[in-house]
Amino acid sequence: MKTSTIFAVCGITCGLLSVMLGFAGKPWQAGLFGLAAGIWCIATLIMDRRGGDDD
Protein backbone atom coordinates (compact mmCIF):
# COMPACT_ATOMS: atom_id res chain seq x y z
CA MET A 1 0.00 0.00 0.00
CA LYS A 2 1.18 3.48 -0.75
CA THR A 3 1.80 5.78 2.17
CA SER A 4 -0.63 8.36 0.81
CA THR A 5 -3.39 5.72 0.78
CA ILE A 6 -2.73 4.89 4.42
CA PHE A 7 -2.78 8.61 5.28
CA ALA A 8 -6.11 9.02 3.46
CA VAL A 9 -7.64 6.11 5.39
CA CYS A 10 -6.45 7.65 8.67
CA GLY A 11 -7.95 11.01 7.69
CA ILE A 12 -11.33 9.45 6.88
CA THR A 13 -11.28 7.47 10.13
CA CYS A 14 -10.51 10.56 12.20
CA GLY A 15 -13.22 12.51 10.39
CA LEU A 16 -15.86 9.87 11.06
CA LEU A 17 -14.80 9.58 14.68
CA SER A 18 -15.06 13.35 15.00
CA VAL A 19 -18.63 13.29 13.70
CA MET A 20 -19.59 10.48 16.08
CA LEU A 21 -18.09 12.29 19.06
CA GLY A 22 -19.87 15.49 18.04
CA PHE A 23 -23.24 13.74 17.96
CA ALA A 24 -22.43 12.11 21.31
CA GLY A 25 -22.07 15.55 22.90
CA LYS A 26 -18.30 15.58 23.39
CA PRO A 27 -17.30 18.82 21.67
CA TRP A 28 -13.63 19.17 22.54
CA GLN A 29 -12.84 15.53 21.69
CA ALA A 30 -14.68 15.98 18.40
CA GLY A 31 -12.64 19.11 17.74
CA LEU A 32 -9.36 17.31 18.37
CA PHE A 33 -10.27 14.48 16.02
CA GLY A 34 -11.48 17.00 13.46
CA LEU A 35 -8.11 18.74 13.67
CA ALA A 36 -6.35 15.38 13.33
CA ALA A 37 -8.46 14.59 10.25
CA GLY A 38 -7.42 17.88 8.69
CA ILE A 39 -3.76 17.21 9.38
CA TRP A 40 -4.02 13.72 7.87
CA CYS A 41 -5.69 15.18 4.76
CA ILE A 42 -2.93 17.78 4.35
CA ALA A 43 -0.31 15.07 4.81
CA THR A 44 -2.09 12.98 2.17
CA LEU A 45 -1.96 15.85 -0.32
CA ILE A 46 1.72 16.45 0.38
CA MET A 47 2.57 12.76 -0.01
CA ASP A 48 0.55 12.50 -3.23
CA ARG A 49 2.14 15.61 -4.74
CA ARG A 50 5.60 14.38 -3.83
CA GLY A 51 5.01 11.51 -6.21
CA GLY A 52 7.14 9.03 -4.32
CA ASP A 53 6.68 5.41 -5.32
CA ASP A 54 6.74 3.97 -1.83
CA ASP A 55 5.06 0.60 -1.56
Side-chain angles (χ1 to χ4, degrees), residues 7 11 32-46:
F7 281 14
L32 286 177
F33 276 99
L35 182 64
I39 292 170
W40 279 114
C41 290
I42 291 170
T44 301
L45 289 173
I46 291 171

Side-chain angles (χ1 to χ4, degrees), residues 8-54:
V9 169
C10 290
I12 291 168
T13 303
C14 284
L16 290 175
L17 190 57
S18 174
V19 170
M20 289 189 314
L21 285 169
F23 282 129
K26 299 179 188 277
W28 69 270
Q29 291 96 335
L32 286 177
F33 276 99
L35 182 64
I39 292 170
W40 279 114
C41 290
I42 291 170
T44 301
L45 289 173
I46 291 171
M47 288 296 295
D48 197 36
R49 282 184 160 218
R50 204 179 68 168
D53 205 13
D54 49 352

